[in-house]
Amino acid sequence: MPELPEIETIKGIIEPQVQGLTIKNVIVNRPEVIAYPAANAFCDLLTGQTISHMERRGKFLLFALDSGDRIVLHLRMTGCLLLTPAGHPEEKHTHIIFELNNDMELRFSDMRRFGRFWLIQAGENDTYSGIDKLGPDPIGDGLTPEFLEARVGKRKKPIKVCLMDQKIIAGIGNIYSDEILFSAGIHPGRPADSLSADEWERLAETIPEVLAWFIEKDSVTPEEYLRGRGRDYRNTPFLQVYGREGGPCRICKTSLCRTVIGGRSSTFCPVCQMDFLRSAD
């Protein structure tokens, strides 16, 4: 599933290309990917509207329209957003096409069809997408050790599970929770209530640093993004631990270990993150 760095990359690629463009027509091949309102109303309300700018909130993408309306999109596991010339070969599983007034098309494809769109009209409260329930954004919202400790410092759940809770912090998933905890030297299975004040401070510093680093590593041109079909730009070579079970730790060369935490696969270094082992003694 795309997480905050990938969503920020998509925004950075798409936004400059669609600002000021008008939606001439909306083609919906799979009505079920439009969660609100009904598909016909979604198309009718958007036709003729002009895109002002884009925003990111956690893992959500938002298209702000000149009217004050906004399109909310969550890509979920396999959703993909591409801006293509009108005659460009269509990706398999393309469910929605926004025809723009410069002969370009904004296309949404999704193999598993979990991605969802919402259209929230000007003055309307978004009680539909779940975006109102998100915690603060870890980049730019002034994440502090005090906030983290106050929110989860008394919980016995593993710290990795807490980091992935979108109601606590918006945008972190399975991949970057592993990367953040490795960089902070904290075992992903540590109960949140066992972290010290120093560890909360280290974690608050590490979260935005790691996410910003991966956003930088994700950087691609619009041409590269289109050529890779919106999928092949990701920063897999730069991952320190996630998906590298059995490989050497990039710091101490010890073989990385895998465990399951909160039902999700988690990779860690048994040396660099062995604070958990010490606390269990």
Side-chain angles (χ1 to χ4, degrees), residues 18-227:
V18 300
Q19 280 183 300
L21 297 182
T22 298
I23 300 169
K24 293 195 308 180
N25 186 38
V26 183
I27 300 171
V28 177
N29 297 322
R30 286 281 185 176
E32 64 265 32
V33 304
I34 300 173
Y36 176 82
N40 287 342
F42 182 89
C43 297
D44 290 344
L45 289 167
L46 283 176
T47 301
Q49 295 230 43
T50 299
I51 299 169
S52 168
H53 63 279
M54 290 177 64
E55 299 172 5
R56 178 195 56 75
R57 182 75 172 91
K59 301 178 188 179
F60 287 83
L61 274 172
L62 297 90
F63 292 81
L65 307 173
D66 280 354
S67 65
D69 294 355
R70 60 197 184 278
I71 305 168
V72 180
L73 166 62
H74 200 302
L75 297 176
R76 301 282 168 82
M77 296 185 70
T78 58
C80 180
L81 201 61
L82 283 179
L83 185 70
T84 76
H88 193 79
E90 192 172 298
E91 290 293 304
K92 195 174 181 182
H93 309 294
T94 295
H95 305 318
I96 298 182
I97 300 172
F98 299 89
E99 297 179 341
L100 305 175
N101 66 329
N102 65 343
D103 293 325
M104 298 290 284
E105 294 180 350
L106 187 62
R107 301 174 180 177
F108 173 74
S109 61
D110 188 357
M111 180 178 67
R112 301 187 71 173
R113 299 202 301 275
F114 291 159
R116 289 293 182 269
F117 282 84
W118 298 262
L119 175 60
I120 310 301
Q121 294 184 262
E124 183 179 15
N125 290 327
D126 182 0
T127 59
Y128 305 96
S129 69
I131 204 168
D132 61 322
K133 297 180 174 63
L134 294 179
D137 197 276
I139 295 181
D141 276 1
L143 196 66
T144 66
E146 293 77 18
F147 169 82
L148 290 174
E149 187 171 7
R151 290 298 302 271
V152 300
K154 295 182 179 180
R155 299 191 184 189
K156 298 188 180 300
K157 288 184 177 181
I159 185 60
K160 169 165 178 157
V161 172
C162 295
L163 289 183
M164 292 193 298
D165 187 337
Q166 301 302 296
K167 295 179 181 179
I168 297 171
I169 306 173
I172 301 172
N174 200 34
I175 296 173
Y176 296 107
S177 57
D178 273 3
E179 295 297 308
I180 287 164
L181 291 167
F182 173 74
S183 294
I186 299 171
H187 190 287
R190 277 280 295 278
D193 66 357
S194 73
L195 269 64
S196 67
D198 286 346
E199 287 169 323
W200 287 120
E201 185 168 351
R202 193 160 74 238
L203 194 56
E205 292 176 355
T206 301
I207 289 170
E209 287 175 357
V210 167
L211 295 173
W213 189 78
F214 276 106
I215 290 170
E216 179 184 347
K217 295 301 179 184
D218 263 348
S219 180
V220 292
T221 66
E223 293 76 19
E224 290 169 332
Y225 181 81
L226 179 57
R227 191 161 54 245

